[in-house]
Amino acid sequence: MHTLTMNNSDSFFEELVDKPHQKKQLIHLALAESTPTVSQVILQEIKKDNRWVPDICPNYQQLVQTVTQQSSDLILLGKLEDLNWLEACRRCLKQWQNLPIILLVEQLEVGDFFRKWAIARGVHDVISVHPQNVHQFQKALIRNVLKIAIADSSQNNQNIDEEANSDKSDTLTWEATLVALNRLTKYSSSYLGPLAIANYWKKSHASLVSLHPSLEYWKVDYQGQISCPFISEQIEPLTPVQLQDVQTWVRAFLKECERVIVDFSQILQAKSLSADVSKLVFPVE
């Protein structure tokens, strides 16, 4: 199965500048849907981003053939001709234990009870493809692929995580990290101005996100204010890998600042920075 590394989307994240020698990572989607009107609407949304490579599968046999031949990264499970979604999900999980499945439903609203019930049975998430919600499909799909990419990255760094997780004080909560990043923006803007700071954050983010996919969580506005659209979903603190990714981003940001003020890091070091900001700016090796 392909390793998922997501760039930003035009409709949700800021578009990254692709370097000439780099190729966009393609994400192969198996669209299990037998209703032509539904599948065509979904295809129109998927084709808005040329990183998605969809294959329509009207029945389970075609789904198996597609996943096997195309090494699909993700199954979008709607209505099949020959199986209900619950049985199709059960068979898919039995055959491909690590292949994520997103359940597509035609209801206008997806209740929390049903979502939790479906997730407990193996799907990764539930997305509404009701005509009134289809415009949100791209955003929902990216959110889920992002989660999968982050999980894949975390799995690849499991040994690092286990070693560092023994001491929770070495990391930060998502809220504390967000506050620290915006404090750093405030400190820096007093020297270089908010527009320049925003540009430095965005430029350094774009240069790193393909190698550090957890940076997808962080978003920068035109004045350099940083936000995390999924912060309400984060229960645990940052993993050591996620913290290291943020610290790498901060170092790259400071290098951009030092193109204008050569000793900018030293200036920050002389200020009374909070402990959380210091952890990002001057990490202990």
Side-chain angles (χ1 to χ4, degrees), residues 120-166:
R121 278 146 187 82
V123 303
H124 192 80
D125 197 7
V126 183
I127 296 178
S128 169
V129 290
H130 187 278
Q132 293 185 29
N133 294 331
V134 73
H135 66 285
Q136 298 178 350
F137 179 83
Q138 183 84 337
K139 177 178 177 179
L141 183 58
I142 288 172
R143 182 179 68 245
N144 279 279
V145 173
L146 169 59
K147 290 179 180 178
I148 296 163
I150 300 303
D152 185 61
S153 176
S154 297
Q155 181 64 34
N156 290 339
N157 294 281
Q158 185 176 7
N159 292 336
I160 298 175
D161 290 353
E162 289 177 353
E163 179 180 349
N165 275 336
S166 60

Side-chain angles (χ1 to χ4, degrees), residues 57-230:
C57 314
N59 55 60
Y60 186 73
Q61 182 179 359
Q62 182 65 44
L63 177 61
V64 172
Q65 182 179 348
T66 296
V67 172
T68 302
Q69 294 179 353
Q70 302 298 331
S71 298
S72 302
D73 296 296
L74 187 66
I75 294 176
L76 301 176
L77 182 57
K79 290 182 178 179
L80 291 175
E81 296 172 344
D82 49 353
L83 286 178
N84 62 53
W85 75 264
L86 198 57
E87 177 61 19
C89 180
R90 187 189 68 80
R91 294 188 187 185
C92 288
L93 291 174
K94 184 177 181 180
Q95 188 160 358
W96 306 290
Q97 295 180 359
N98 297 318
L99 181 60
I101 300 171
I102 295 178
L103 179 62
L104 307 180
V105 297
E106 296 181 35
Q107 293 97 316
L108 178 60
E109 296 183 1
V110 180
D112 289 340
F113 177 83
F114 177 75
R115 185 187 303 276
K116 292 177 181 177
W117 182 84
I119 290 175
R121 278 146 187 82
V123 303
H124 192 80
D125 197 7
V126 183
I127 296 178
S128 169
V129 290
H130 187 278
Q132 293 185 29
N133 294 331
V134 73
H135 66 285
Q136 298 178 350
F137 179 83
Q138 183 84 337
K139 177 178 177 179
L141 183 58
I142 288 172
R143 182 179 68 245
N144 279 279
V145 173
L146 169 59
K147 290 179 180 178
I148 296 163
I150 300 303
D152 185 61
S153 176
S154 297
Q155 181 64 34
N156 290 339
N157 294 281
Q158 185 176 7
N159 292 336
I160 298 175
D161 290 353
E162 289 177 353
E163 179 180 349
N165 275 336
S166 60
D167 187 355
K168 292 292 184 180
S169 64
D170 287 343
T171 188
L172 294 172
T173 65
W174 288 83
E175 291 81 1
T177 304
L178 181 60
V179 170
L181 288 170
N182 280 312
R183 283 180 177 171
L184 182 55
T185 288
K186 184 177 180 180
Y187 294 149
S188 304
S189 294
S190 64
Y191 291 93
L192 296 166
L195 296 182
I197 292 303
N199 181 55
Y200 298 156
W201 276 126
K202 291 179 180 182
K203 184 178 179 181
S204 55
H205 186 277
S207 70
L208 293 170
V209 70
S210 62
L211 296 177
H212 303 273
S214 74
L215 293 180
E216 291 276 17
Y217 276 113
W218 306 99
K219 187 177 180 182
V220 185
D221 72 9
Y222 72 100
Q223 288 190 318
Q225 288 298 302
I226 298 172
S227 61
C228 180
F230 309 116

